[in-house]
């Protein structure tokens, strides 16, 4: 795909969008980032620059490569201009179904009919996002992980109406970005979020039952199972509110095993959201 794909449009310059733009530019693609917020675009650019600078400092990239990558990214707020001539479009706007559907509909109307459309949603149904499109067969889930330049996985989600050719193009895109893909069916929580919150929720229930301290529950997984980080510390990093929202969604869609532990709900109500609020299962 690297020979044929030259243009990538990324919607959203936030945490995920700017990281996706960076890896695409580093892979040699011409990137257009579209975000209506000028402040978000400036922050996104600063984020890309800081990340590339760190790679130069670690001698993973030359200063010339950094400058070339920065030069391949354009920033703007116009949807039509962003998708002009795009081969791949990735949306990384906030996790709200209406917002994503509306944006994808506009992209579907304005982007070249041959463009692959990808959504970075962490939990929403690709089938549902695609339902309003003229051509839902070209929509796939392209679920990147945070921080995008560091995390190796790309979870590719196949909606009910996603074409096999779109999955093949997504696999080629992953390869061009140096990511390792997995392909999953469009089921709630895909593979990653479903397993991730299952472990996190069980760890919280164990804490509720006084099985061990938060530190020791985390240590059990870190030292006993070689997880780089225990499930409670990871919940603090992801955000307790984010994990609660995923659990509530999976509880509705999959069943009882995903009922959120009362302790998690209480902590969210108390504003203990993890690292971003200064306190979760740990003090930050
Ligand atoms: P974020 O809030 O950091 O960034 C979202 C950006 O989208 C903001 O800059 C906002 O201005 C912009 N935006 C809003 N409406 C827009 C529109 N119509 N067009 C273009 N841009 C628009 O959010 P994020 O954390 O980067 O998450 C984005 C998506 O990625 C969500 O679907 C989320 O579930 C998913 N995701 C997040 C993570 C994570 O760790 N943060 C990991 C995997 C997937």
């Amino acid at each position: 795909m690297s020979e044929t794909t030259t243009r990538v449009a990324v919607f959203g310059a936030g945490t995920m969008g700017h990281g996706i733009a960076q890896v695409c530019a580093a892979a040699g693609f011409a990137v257009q980032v579209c975000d209506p917020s000028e402040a978000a675009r400036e922050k996104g650019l600063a984020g890309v620059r800081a990340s590339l600078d760190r790679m130069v400092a670690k001698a993973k990239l030359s200063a010339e490569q950094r400058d070339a990558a920065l030069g391949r990214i354009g920033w703007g707020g116009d949807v039509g201009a962003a998708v002009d001539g795009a081969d791949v479009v990735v949306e990384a706007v906030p996790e709200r179904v209406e917002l994503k559907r509306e944006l994808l509909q506009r992209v579907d109307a304005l982007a070249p009919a041959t463009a692959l459309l990808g959504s970075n949603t962490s939990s929403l149904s690709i089938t549902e996002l695609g339902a309003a499109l003229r051509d839902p067969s070209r929509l796939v889930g392209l679920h990147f992980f945070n921080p995008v330049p560091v995390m190796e996985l790309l979870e590719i989600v196949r909606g009910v109406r996603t074409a096999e050719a779109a999955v093949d193009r997504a696999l080629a895109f992953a390869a061009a970005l140096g990511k390792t893909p997995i392909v999953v069916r469009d089921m709630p929580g895909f593979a990653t979020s479903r397993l991730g919150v299952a472990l996190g929720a069980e760890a919280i229930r164990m804490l509720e039952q006084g099985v061990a301290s938060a530190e020791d529950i985390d240590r059990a997984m870190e030292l006993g199972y070689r997880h780089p980080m225990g499930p409670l510390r990871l919940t603090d990093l992801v955000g307790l509110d984010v994990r609660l929202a995923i659990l509530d969604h999976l509880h509705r869609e999959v069943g009882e095993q995903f009922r959120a532990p009362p302790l998690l709900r209480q902590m969210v109500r108390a504003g203990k959201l993890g690292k971003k609020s200064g306190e979760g299962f740990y003090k930050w």
Side-chain angles (χ1 to χ4, degrees), residues 12-16 34-37 40 92-95 99-100 120-122 143-144 146:
T15 308
M16 298 305 289
C34 181
D35 194 309
S37 155
V93 302
E95 190 79 341
L99 175 67
K100 287 187 190 282
N120 189 48
T121 179
S122 15
H143 187 197
F144 289 86
N146 182 20

Side-chain angles (χ1 to χ4, degrees), residues 14 16 25 32 42 61 69 79 83 85 108 122 127 136 146 150 172 180 187 199 211 227 233 246 269:
M16 298 305 289
Q32 275 299 324
E42 278 167 15
L61 206 69
V79 177
V83 299
D108 189 35
S122 15
T127 308
N146 182 20
V150 175
T180 301
M187 292 293 284
L199 193 65
V211 173
H227 289 198
R233 191 179 297 278
I246 297 174
R269 284 185 181 141

Side-chain angles (χ1 to χ4, degrees), residues 91-215:
E91 73 75 15
V93 302
E95 190 79 341
R96 295 203 304 273
V97 70
E98 280 314 317
L99 175 67
K100 287 187 190 282
R101 283 181 69 138
E102 224 176 87
L103 175 66
L104 286 167
Q105 257 178 315
R106 287 191 70 193
V107 167
D108 189 35
L110 296 171
T114 50
L116 176 72
L117 309 187
S119 169
N120 189 48
T121 179
S122 15
S123 62
L124 300 174
S125 160
I126 295 300
T127 308
E128 187 181 356
L129 291 179
L133 301 187
R134 233 176 11 177
D135 178 11
S137 75
R138 60 174 169 156
L139 180 70
V140 289
L142 291 177
H143 187 197
F144 289 86
F145 292 81
N146 182 20
V148 181
V150 175
M151 301 298 276
E152 203 186 323
L153 182 66
L154 180 61
E155 187 173 45
I156 296 171
V157 184
R158 184 200 311 237
V160 170
R161 298 178 72 177
T162 302
E164 222 27 61
V167 174
D168 289 345
R169 288 179 71 192
L171 286 166
F173 186 54
L177 300 181
K179 300 294 182 200
T180 301
I182 60 169
V183 179
V184 303
R185 271 179 61 210
D186 185 22
M187 292 293 284
F190 312 136
T192 48
S193 304
R194 184 165 171 173
L195 277 175
V197 297
L199 193 65
E202 201 54 36
I204 297 167
R205 281 190 277 269
M206 286 164 65
L207 193 65
E208 281 176 333
Q209 291 166 12
V211 173
S213 65
E215 288 81 356

